[in-house]
Amino acid sequence: MAHSILVVDDAPNIILSLDFLMRQAGYKVRTATNGEETLLAVRENRPDLILLDVMMPKLDGYEVCQAIRADPALADIRIIMLTAKGRAIEQEKGLALGADAYITKPFSTQEVLDTVKALLKGE
Amino acid sequence: MPASRKKFWGLVAGIILAVLLISAGALWRLSFFFPALSPQQEVALAFYLGGAVLLLITAMAIFGILLDQALFRPLGAVIRGVGIITESNPTHRLEIPGFNLLDELPDALHRLGDRLHNSRREVGEALATGATRVEEQKAWLEAVVREIHEGVVVCHHQARILLYNPAAQRLLDNHEALGLGRSLYAICARGPIEHTLGMLLQHRRDNLSQPAAGIEGRFLCPTVNGAKLLQCQMELIPGRSAAGPVFVITFDEVALQTESPGLTDISLRGPIEALRGPLASLRAAAENLVAFPDMAPVMRSAFENVIAQESSELTDRFEKLVRDCRLLTSTHNSLTDINSGDLFKFVSRRLRETGGPELASSGMPLWFRGDSHSLMLVLTFLAQRIKESSQVTSLSAEALLGDRRVYLALAWPGKPVLPAEIDKWLQQPLPGSVGDLKLADILARHGSNLWSQSHRREGWATLRIPVPISPRQWRQTTEQAQPARPEFYDFSLAEMHGGLGELADRPLNQCTFTVFDTETTGLEPSAGDEIVSLGAVRIVNQRIVKGETFTRMVNPGRTIPKSSVRFHGITDEMIKDQPLITEILPLFKNFVGESVLVAHNAAFDMKFIQLKEDAAGVRFANPILDTLLLSVFLHDHTRDHYLDAIADRLGVEVRFRHTALGDATVTAEIFIRLLDLLKQRGILTLGQAMAAADKMIAVRKQQTMF
């Protein structure tokens, strides 16, 4: 069965590309554009992996991540943080708060794809 | 009439009276002594006896008058004359009678008077020169302070102003409260000044034995009316006045005066991050177009649309970034080396004063860079928030060492703080901060952020604030891990620098000396060891010229062995951006000029330099003196001629050991004392000193053989 991926970003242009890319790779894809939407979507139907943007209105990526990690039922969801915050300190914070991987924008689509594949293979 | 003369005449008069009385008595009872005499014989005897007594008295009177004239009168004149000599005119000539019994005394006194006269004149001249020099230096100093374009304020108790310069006046807009004896707190915010002073004093108290560990007092300080933001640097003036510590603050205006100080960092980071989103969209869309040439036309046109949109967005944001770049000023100038122990102590005290939670620090203190005052506020603020949200009354503070960062960590029994809560804290303005910054702004200035996670201790949580590490971390170790430098005798300094010419006759006290030292990667210059730092001071007029120092780190073009790092504390990281020795030597050559080079075990340092002379295109042909050899020459009673041993012997205080500049300074102080000792031994010229040292090469070779 194909893995399911939730793509979260508040920029529609990046969602367009990531959505297309993941579908081409054979995954089932849903999208969300803010933190609250994300948590609703996750509880409604648990995805295998989330591509999570950090800078979002309402709940930001860190909070979403923390909330998911706090729920034992959701604990094994893979989370890849995508962010425009390029500093190593942000990356450290993301990983400290429970992300499995951290990718800085702009990224190569291949890099995202490889990371997604690697994380899902480890399941 | 002098007392001794009175006594003398009293005595003479007494003796004459006694003789008269006795002879009168004898004459009166003549028949008692000579019962057999006839009356005529008695008369004759009385006549002779009376005559004899008269003669005796006359003789005594003459003798007395003689003594009086020849001794007592001149003595009186001497006493009065000496009074004149000591009190008013040392060249006064004694007015004494030609006939006297004083022998050499008057001449001796004249010589004494002349000496006194000369000494007084010399002292007077020295005082006058000294006073002139002091006046001159004071005038220079005033001119310098006047011309410094930074504001200078010297303050003491309660920041009362002792001195200020015109730049201070200008920078503070001719503030009416700026005046001698008035408090700086009327003009500048009290918080940062008191905090910095407190930190400096605390550090000085805690590190009395180690003044090398002094901290820089850099801070930002707004004016009370909020019109200006000043970038300040505080230093304690050594010593202690009765009214408390005296300190000097130099300051300048922060270039972007109307903006908050955190803005510059944020203003660049924001726009840079704003580029990343559109770039990501652009790249992803482009890559998809390339990767899937057969995609549906609808999809293709959607991606093309994205590319057009994001390119235009990027252009706008790029323009904004260029604008912001121009606004870049260095708030980093307000970052200073801070010792975590100092900071925690301060925070702990402040929490106690404001009814906050107890803060106990644990672990080793670490050095990091930051704005001391605002970090103190951050930690105080966070400790109070944690107390409220986690219901704890005491926290533990610790500094953790990362690769490139130091983590300031607060720990408490309980759960980590939720990110949402932390975000709320981050957006709160920090009371008392310069420019009313938010917690997030202050962290941004330190390239930092903060988060809460569970502590390695079961059931505990921690909150971490990463801050930039300070290179001072590695300067702390002063342990001696390497063997002392080998002494080099294989080539003679005199041979190398022969042909002193007329320099040989130059008196030592007229020479200018450059005393230098190197730190190296190891002990074998011929086997590839290199210089990693070079320090030098100048001696003029037998004094170290304060402020005229040469100190440079050097990229050795190779890695530094751990054993050497432990010795001098210079790491690969610290020298990787430094110039090569070939670039440094010409600068050093300029510093040295025509002066005489001095070093301890000079051949060792010279060997390193000599090997690089060709590559650097300079040649050091200056005369060289070696404190080690001079010490061997002067003190052949001992074999201990290491720098520390000589310093100990000559009473030189050793500080900043194992930094090139520190060792050069110690060597210079030793050298100045050696110069005095050389003079006592009759070594007065440069040539003599070099010859003496040369002779010692052989002696030392022999000594070390046993």
Side-chain angles (χ1 to χ4, degrees), chain B residues 396-447:
Chain B
S396 139
E398 191 180 0
L400 307 165
L401 186 62
D403 278 351
R404 277 167 304 154
R405 277 185 269 275
V406 165
Y407 298 82
L408 302 179
L410 297 175
W412 64 96
K415 289 202 163 57
V417 186
L418 294 174
E421 185 74 7
I422 286 186
D423 277 347
K424 245 185 268 162
W425 296 353
L426 284 171
Q427 296 314 312
Q428 284 179 25
L430 209 54
S433 74
V434 172
D436 290 328
L437 292 176
K438 289 183 297 190
L439 183 53
D441 299 334
I442 289 179
L443 293 178
R445 272 175 57 198
H446 294 84

CSV table of all heavy atoms in Angstrom, one decimal, chain B residues 396-447:
chain,number,residue,atom,x,y,z
B,396,SER,N,18.5,25.5,38.8
B,396,SER,CA,19.9,25.4,38.7
B,396,SER,C,20.4,25.9,37.4
B,396,SER,O,19.7,25.8,36.4
B,396,SER,CB,20.2,23.9,38.9
B,396,SER,OG,21.3,23.5,38.0
B,397,ALA,N,21.5,26.6,37.4
B,397,ALA,CA,22.1,27.2,36.2
B,397,ALA,C,23.4,26.5,35.8
B,397,ALA,O,24.2,26.3,36.7
B,397,ALA,CB,22.2,28.7,36.3
B,398,GLU,N,23.6,26.3,34.5
B,398,GLU,CA,24.8,25.6,34.1
B,398,GLU,C,25.2,26.1,32.7
B,398,GLU,O,24.3,26.4,31.9
B,398,GLU,CB,24.5,24.1,34.1
B,398,GLU,CG,25.8,23.3,34.0
B,398,GLU,CD,25.5,21.8,34.0
B,398,GLU,OE1,24.3,21.4,34.1
B,398,GLU,OE2,26.4,21.0,33.9
B,399,ALA,N,26.5,26.1,32.5
B,399,ALA,CA,26.9,26.4,31.1
B,399,ALA,C,27.5,25.1,30.5
B,399,ALA,O,28.2,24.4,31.1
B,399,ALA,CB,28.0,27.4,31.1
B,400,LEU,N,27.0,24.8,29.3
B,400,LEU,CA,27.4,23.6,28.6
B,400,LEU,C,28.2,23.9,27.4
B,400,LEU,O,27.9,24.9,26.7
B,400,LEU,CB,26.1,22.8,28.2
B,400,LEU,CG,25.1,22.5,29.3
B,400,LEU,CD1,23.8,22.0,28.7
B,400,LEU,CD2,25.7,21.5,30.3
B,401,LEU,N,29.2,23.1,27.2
B,401,LEU,CA,30.1,23.4,26.1
B,401,LEU,C,29.7,22.6,24.8
B,401,LEU,O,29.6,21.4,24.8
B,401,LEU,CB,31.5,23.0,26.5
B,401,LEU,CG,32.6,23.4,25.5
B,401,LEU,CD1,32.7,24.9,25.3
B,401,LEU,CD2,34.0,22.8,26.0
B,402,GLY,N,29.4,23.3,23.7
B,402,GLY,CA,29.2,22.7,22.4
B,402,GLY,C,30.3,22.9,21.5
B,402,GLY,O,31.4,23.4,22.0
B,403,ASP,N,30.2,22.5,20.3
B,403,ASP,CA,31.3,22.7,19.3
B,403,ASP,C,31.7,24.1,19.1
B,403,ASP,O,32.8,24.5,19.2
B,403,ASP,CB,31.0,22.0,18.0
B,403,ASP,CG,31.2,20.5,18.1
B,403,ASP,OD1,31.8,20.1,19.1
B,403,ASP,OD2,30.8,19.8,17.2
B,404,ARG,N,30.6,24.9,18.7
B,404,ARG,CA,30.9,26.3,18.4
B,404,ARG,C,30.1,27.2,19.3
B,404,ARG,O,30.1,28.4,19.2
B,404,ARG,CB,30.5,26.5,17.0
B,404,ARG,CG,31.6,26.2,16.0
B,404,ARG,CD,31.0,26.2,14.6
B,404,ARG,NE,29.9,25.3,14.5
B,404,ARG,CZ,28.9,25.5,13.6
B,404,ARG,NH1,28.9,26.5,12.8
B,404,ARG,NH2,27.9,24.6,13.5
B,405,ARG,N,29.3,26.6,20.2
B,405,ARG,CA,28.5,27.4,21.1
B,405,ARG,C,28.6,27.0,22.5
B,405,ARG,O,29.1,25.9,22.8
B,405,ARG,CB,27.0,27.2,20.7
B,405,ARG,CG,26.6,28.1,19.5
B,405,ARG,CD,25.1,27.9,19.3
B,405,ARG,NE,24.9,26.9,18.3
B,405,ARG,CZ,24.9,27.1,17.0
B,405,ARG,NH1,25.2,28.3,16.5
B,405,ARG,NH2,24.7,26.1,16.2
B,406,VAL,N,28.2,27.9,23.4
B,406,VAL,CA,28.1,27.6,24.8
B,406,VAL,C,26.6,27.6,25.0
B,406,VAL,O,25.9,28.5,24.5
B,406,VAL,CB,28.8,28.6,25.7
B,406,VAL,CG1,28.4,28.5,27.1
B,406,VAL,CG2,30.3,28.4,25.6
B,407,TYR,N,26.0,26.7,25.8
B,407,TYR,CA,24.6,26.7,26.1
B,407,TYR,C,24.4,27.1,27.5
B,407,TYR,O,25.0,26.5,28.4
B,407,TYR,CB,24.0,25.3,25.9
B,407,TYR,CG,24.1,24.8,24.5
B,407,TYR,CD1,25.3,24.2,24.0
B,407,TYR,CD2,23.1,24.9,23.6
B,407,TYR,CE1,25.4,23.8,22.7
B,407,TYR,CE2,23.2,24.5,22.3
B,407,TYR,CZ,24.4,23.9,21.8
B,407,TYR,OH,24.5,23.5,20.5
B,408,LEU,N,23.7,28.2,27.7
B,408,LEU,CA,23.3,28.6,29.0
B,408,LEU,C,22.1,27.9,29.3
B,408,LEU,O,21.0,28.0,28.6
B,408,LEU,CB,23.1,30.1,29.1
B,408,LEU,CG,24.2,31.0,28.6
B,408,LEU,CD1,23.8,32.5,28.7
B,408,LEU,CD2,25.5,30.8,29.5
B,409,ALA,N,22.1,27.1,30.4
B,409,ALA,CA,20.9,26.2,30.6
B,409,ALA,C,20.4,26.4,32.0
B,409,ALA,O,21.2,26.5,33.0
B,409,ALA,CB,21.4,24.7,30.5
B,410,LEU,N,19.1,26.5,32.1
B,410,LEU,CA,18.4,26.6,33.4
B,410,LEU,C,17.7,25.2,33.5
B,410,LEU,O,17.1,24.7,32.6
B,410,LEU,CB,17.4,27.7,33.4
B,410,LEU,CG,17.9,29.1,33.3
B,410,LEU,CD1,16.8,30.1,33.2
B,410,LEU,CD2,18.8,29.5,34.4
B,411,ALA,N,17.8,24.7,34.7
B,411,ALA,CA,17.2,23.3,34.9
B,411,ALA,C,16.3,23.4,36.2
B,411,ALA,O,16.6,24.1,37.1
B,411,ALA,CB,18.2,22.3,35.0
B,412,TRP,N,15.2,22.6,36.1
B,412,TRP,CA,14.3,22.5,37.3
B,412,TRP,C,13.6,21.2,37.3
B,412,TRP,O,13.5,20.6,36.3
B,412,TRP,CB,13.4,23.7,37.3
B,412,TRP,CG,12.4,23.6,36.1
B,412,TRP,CD1,11.2,23.1,36.1
B,412,TRP,CD2,12.7,24.1,34.8
B,412,TRP,NE1,10.6,23.2,34.8
B,412,TRP,CE2,11.5,23.8,34.0
B,412,TRP,CE3,13.8,24.7,34.1
B,412,TRP,CZ2,11.4,24.1,32.6
B,412,TRP,CZ3,13.7,25.0,32.8
B,412,TRP,CH2,12.5,24.7,32.1
B,413,PRO,N,13.1,20.8,38.5
B,413,PRO,CA,12.4,19.5,38.5
B,413,PRO,C,11.0,19.8,37.9
B,413,PRO,O,10.3,20.7,38.3
B,413,PRO,CB,12.3,19.2,40.0
B,413,PRO,CG,12.5,20.5,40.7
B,413,PRO,CD,13.3,21.3,39.8
B,414,GLY,N,10.6,19.0,36.9
B,414,GLY,CA,9.3,19.2,36.3
B,414,GLY,C,9.3,19.0,34.8
B,414,GLY,O,10.3,18.3,34.3
B,415,LYS,N,8.3,19.5,34.1
B,415,LYS,CA,8.2,19.2,32.7
B,415,LYS,C,8.8,20.4,31.8
B,415,LYS,O,8.8,21.5,32.3
B,415,LYS,CB,6.7,19.0,32.3
B,415,LYS,CG,6.1,17.7,32.8
B,415,LYS,CD,4.9,17.4,32.0
B,415,LYS,CE,4.5,15.9,32.2
B,415,LYS,NZ,4.3,15.6,33.7
B,416,PRO,N,9.2,20.1,30.6
B,416,PRO,CA,9.7,21.2,29.7
B,416,PRO,C,8.5,22.2,29.5
B,416,PRO,O,7.4,21.9,29.5
B,416,PRO,CB,10.0,20.5,28.4
B,416,PRO,CG,10.2,19.1,28.8
B,416,PRO,CD,9.3,18.8,30.0
B,417,VAL,N,8.9,23.4,29.2
B,417,VAL,CA,7.9,24.5,28.9
B,417,VAL,C,7.5,24.2,27.4
B,417,VAL,O,8.3,23.9,26.6
B,417,VAL,CB,8.6,25.9,29.0
B,417,VAL,CG1,7.5,26.9,28.8
B,417,VAL,CG2,9.3,26.0,30.3
B,418,LEU,N,6.2,24.4,27.2
B,418,LEU,CA,5.6,24.2,25.9
B,418,LEU,C,6.1,25.3,24.9
B,418,LEU,O,6.2,26.4,25.3
B,418,LEU,CB,4.1,24.1,25.9
B,418,LEU,CG,3.5,22.9,26.7
B,418,LEU,CD1,2.0,23.1,26.8
B,418,LEU,CD2,3.9,21.6,26.1
B,419,PRO,N,6.3,24.9,23.7
B,419,PRO,CA,6.8,25.9,22.7
B,419,PRO,C,5.8,27.1,22.6
B,419,PRO,O,6.3,28.2,22.4
B,419,PRO,CB,6.8,25.1,21.4
B,419,PRO,CG,6.9,23.7,21.7
B,419,PRO,CD,6.2,23.6,23.1
B,420,ALA,N,4.5,26.9,22.7
B,420,ALA,CA,3.6,28.0,22.6
B,420,ALA,C,3.9,29.0,23.7
B,420,ALA,O,3.9,30.2,23.5
B,420,ALA,CB,2.2,27.5,22.7
B,421,GLU,N,4.2,28.5,24.9
B,421,GLU,CA,4.5,29.3,26.1
B,421,GLU,C,5.8,30.1,25.8
B,421,GLU,O,5.8,31.3,26.0
B,421,GLU,CB,4.6,28.4,27.3
B,421,GLU,CG,4.8,29.2,28.6
B,421,GLU,CD,3.5,29.8,29.1
B,421,GLU,OE1,2.5,29.6,28.5
B,421,GLU,OE2,3.6,30.6,30.1
B,422,ILE,N,6.7,29.4,25.3
B,422,ILE,CA,8.0,30.0,25.0
B,422,ILE,C,7.8,31.1,23.9
B,422,ILE,O,8.4,32.2,24.0
B,422,ILE,CB,9.0,29.0,24.5
B,422,ILE,CG1,9.5,28.2,25.7
B,422,ILE,CG2,10.2,29.6,23.8
B,422,ILE,CD1,10.6,27.2,25.5
B,423,ASP,N,7.0,30.8,22.9
B,423,ASP,CA,6.7,31.8,21.9
B,423,ASP,C,6.1,33.1,22.5
B,423,ASP,O,6.5,34.2,22.1
B,423,ASP,CB,5.8,31.3,20.8
B,423,ASP,CG,6.6,30.5,19.8
B,423,ASP,OD1,7.8,30.6,19.8
B,423,ASP,OD2,6.0,29.7,19.0
B,424,LYS,N,5.3,32.9,23.4
B,424,LYS,CA,4.6,34.0,24.1
B,424,LYS,C,5.7,34.8,24.8
B,424,LYS,O,5.8,36.1,24.7
B,424,LYS,CB,3.6,33.5,25.2
B,424,LYS,CG,2.2,34.0,24.8
B,424,LYS,CD,1.2,33.6,25.9
B,424,LYS,CE,0.6,32.2,25.7
B,424,LYS,NZ,0.0,31.6,26.9
B,425,TRP,N,6.6,34.1,25.5
B,425,TRP,CA,7.7,34.8,26.2
B,425,TRP,C,8.6,35.6,25.2
B,425,TRP,O,9.0,36.7,25.5
B,425,TRP,CB,8.6,33.8,27.0
B,425,TRP,CG,7.9,33.1,28.1
B,425,TRP,CD1,6.6,33.3,28.5
B,425,TRP,CD2,8.4,32.0,28.8
B,425,TRP,NE1,6.3,32.4,29.5
B,425,TRP,CE2,7.4,31.6,29.7
B,425,TRP,CE3,9.7,31.3,28.8
B,425,TRP,CZ2,7.6,30.5,30.6
B,425,TRP,CZ3,9.8,30.2,29.7
B,425,TRP,CH2,8.8,29.9,30.6
B,426,LEU,N,8.9,34.9,24.1
B,426,LEU,CA,9.8,35.5,23.1
B,426,LEU,C,9.2,36.9,22.6
B,426,LEU,O,10.0,37.8,22.3
B,426,LEU,CB,10.0,34.6,21.9
B,426,LEU,CG,10.9,33.4,22.2
B,426,LEU,CD1,10.8,32.4,21.0
B,426,LEU,CD2,12.3,33.9,22.4
B,427,GLN,N,7.9,37.0,22.6
B,427,GLN,CA,7.3,38.2,22.1
B,427,GLN,C,7.2,39.3,23.1
B,427,GLN,O,6.7,40.4,22.9
B,427,GLN,CB,6.0,37.9,21.4
B,427,GLN,CG,6.1,37.0,20.2
B,427,GLN,CD,7.2,37.4,19.2
B,427,GLN,OE1,7.3,38.6,18.9
B,427,GLN,NE2,8.0,36.5,18.9
B,428,GLN,N,7.5,39.0,24.4
B,428,GLN,CA,7.3,40.0,25.4
B,428,GLN,C,8.5,40.9,25.5
B,428,GLN,O,9.7,40.5,25.4
B,428,GLN,CB,7.2,39.3,26.8
B,428,GLN,CG,5.8,38.7,27.0
B,428,GLN,CD,5.6,38.0,28.3
B,428,GLN,OE1,6.3,38.3,29.2
B,428,GLN,NE2,4.7,37.0,28.3
B,429,PRO,N,8.2,42.2,25.7
B,429,PRO,CA,9.3,43.2,25.9
B,429,PRO,C,10.0,42.9,27.2
B,429,PRO,O,9.4,42.5,28.2
B,429,PRO,CB,8.6,44.5,25.9
B,429,PRO,CG,7.2,44.3,26.1
B,429,PRO,CD,6.9,42.9,25.8
B,430,LEU,N,11.3,43.1,27.2
B,430,LEU,CA,12.1,42.8,28.3
B,430,LEU,C,12.3,44.0,29.2
B,430,LEU,O,12.9,45.0,28.7
B,430,LEU,CB,13.5,42.3,27.9
B,430,LEU,CG,14.2,41.3,28.8
B,430,LEU,CD1,13.3,40.1,29.1
B,430,LEU,CD2,15.4,40.8,28.1
B,431,PRO,N,11.7,44.0,30.4
B,431,PRO,CA,11.8,45.3,31.2
B,431,PRO,C,13.3,45.6,31.5
B,431,PRO,O,14.0,44.7,31.8
B,431,PRO,CB,11.1,44.9,32.5
B,431,PRO,CG,10.9,43.4,32.5
B,431,PRO,CD,11.0,42.9,31.1
B,432,GLY,N,13.6,46.9,31.3
B,432,GLY,CA,14.9,47.3,31.6
B,432,GLY,C,15.9,47.2,30.5
B,432,GLY,O,17.1,47.6,30.6
B,433,SER,N,15.5,46.6,29.3
B,433,SER,CA,16.5,46.4,28.3
B,433,SER,C,16.7,47.7,27.5
B,433,SER,O,15.8,48.5,27.4
B,433,SER,CB,16.0,45.3,27.3
B,433,SER,OG,14.9,45.8,26.5
B,434,VAL,N,17.8,47.8,26.9
B,434,VAL,CA,18.2,48.9,26.1
B,434,VAL,C,17.3,48.9,24.8
B,434,VAL,O,17.4,48.0,24.1
B,434,VAL,CB,19.7,48.9,25.8
B,434,VAL,CG1,20.0,50.0,24.8
B,434,VAL,CG2,20.5,49.0,27.0
B,435,GLY,N,16.5,50.0,24.6
B,435,GLY,CA,15.7,50.0,23.4
B,435,GLY,C,14.5,49.2,23.5
B,435,GLY,O,13.8,49.0,22.5
B,436,ASP,N,14.1,48.9,24.7
B,436,ASP,CA,12.8,48.1,24.9
B,436,ASP,C,12.7,46.9,24.0
B,436,ASP,O,11.7,46.8,23.3
B,436,ASP,CB,11.6,49.0,24.8
B,436,ASP,CG,11.6,50.0,26.0
B,436,ASP,OD1,12.0,49.5,27.1
B,436,ASP,OD2,11.1,51.1,25.8
B,437,LEU,N,13.7,46.1,23.9
B,437,LEU,CA,13.7,45.0,23.0
B,437,LEU,C,12.8,43.8,23.5
B,437,LEU,O,12.6,43.7,24.7
B,437,LEU,CB,15.1,44.5,22.8
B,437,LEU,CG,16.0,45.4,22.1
B,437,LEU,CD1,17.4,44.8,22.1
B,437,LEU,CD2,15.6,45.6,20.7
B,438,LYS,N,12.3,43.1,22.6
B,438,LYS,CA,11.7,41.8,22.9
B,438,LYS,C,12.7,40.8,23.2
B,438,LYS,O,13.8,40.9,22.7
B,438,LYS,CB,10.8,41.4,21.8
B,438,LYS,CG,9.5,42.2,21.6
B,438,LYS,CD,8.6,41.7,20.5
B,438,LYS,CE,9.4,41.7,19.2
B,438,LYS,NZ,8.5,41.4,18.0
B,439,LEU,N,12.3,39.8,24.0
B,439,LEU,CA,13.3,38.7,24.3
B,439,LEU,C,13.8,38.1,22.9
B,439,LEU,O,15.0,37.8,22.8
B,439,LEU,CB,12.5,37.6,25.0
B,439,LEU,CG,13.3,36.4,25.5
B,439,LEU,CD1,14.5,36.8,26.3
B,439,LEU,CD2,12.4,35.5,26.4
B,440,ALA,N,12.9,37.9,21.9
B,440,ALA,CA,13.3,37.4,20.7
B,440,ALA,C,14.4,38.2,20.0
B,440,ALA,O,15.3,37.7,19.4
B,440,ALA,CB,12.1,37.3,19.7
B,441,ASP,N,14.3,39.6,20.1
B,441,ASP,CA,15.3,40.5,19.5
B,441,ASP,C,16.7,40.3,20.1
B,441,ASP,O,17.7,40.2,19.5
B,441,ASP,CB,14.9,41.9,19.7
B,441,ASP,CG,13.6,42.2,19.0
B,441,ASP,OD1,13.2,41.5,18.0
B,441,ASP,OD2,12.8,43.1,19.4
B,442,ILE,N,16.7,40.2,21.5
B,442,ILE,CA,18.0,40.0,22.1
B,442,ILE,C,18.6,38.7,21.8
B,442,ILE,O,19.8,38.6,21.5
B,442,ILE,CB,17.8,40.1,23.7
B,442,ILE,CG1,17.4,41.5,24.0
B,442,ILE,CG2,19.0,39.6,24.4
B,442,ILE,CD1,17.2,41.8,25.5
B,443,LEU,N,17.8,37.6,21.7
B,443,LEU,CA,18.3,36.4,21.3
B,443,LEU,C,18.9,36.4,19.8
B,443,LEU,O,19.9,35.9,19.5
B,443,LEU,CB,17.3,35.3,21.4
B,443,LEU,CG,16.9,35.0,22.8
B,443,LEU,CD1,15.8,33.9,22.9
B,443,LEU,CD2,18.1,34.5,23.7
B,444,ALA,N,18.1,37.2,19.0
B,444,ALA,CA,18.6,37.3,17.6
B,444,ALA,C,19.9,38.0,17.5
B,444,ALA,O,20.8,37.6,16.7
B,444,ALA,CB,17.5,38.1,16.8
B,445,ARG,N,20.1,38.9,18.4
B,445,ARG,CA,21.4,39.6,18.4
B,445,ARG,C,22.6,38.7,18.7
B,445,ARG,O,23.7,38.9,18.4
B,445,ARG,CB,21.4,40.8,19.4
B,445,ARG,CG,20.9,42.0,18.8
B,445,ARG,CD,20.8,43.1,19.8
B,445,ARG,NE,22.1,43.4,20.4
B,445,ARG,CZ,22.2,44.0,21.6
B,445,ARG,NH1,21.1,44.4,22.2
B,445,ARG,NH2,23.3,44.2,22.1
B,446,HIS,N,22.3,37.6,19.5
B,446,HIS,CA,23.3,36.7,19.8
B,446,HIS,C,23.3,35.5,18.8
B,446,HIS,O,23.9,34.5,19.1
B,446,HIS,CB,23.1,36.2,21.2
B,446,HIS,CG,23.3,37.3,22.3
B,446,HIS,ND1,22.3,38.2,22.6
B,446,HIS,CD2,24.4,37.6,23.0
B,446,HIS,CE1,22.8,39.0,23.5
B,446,HIS,NE2,24.1,38.7,23.7
B,447,GLY,N,22.5,35.6,17.7
B,447,GLY,CA,22.4,34.5,16.8
B,447,GLY,C,21.8,33.3,17.5
B,447,GLY,O,22.1,32.2,17.3
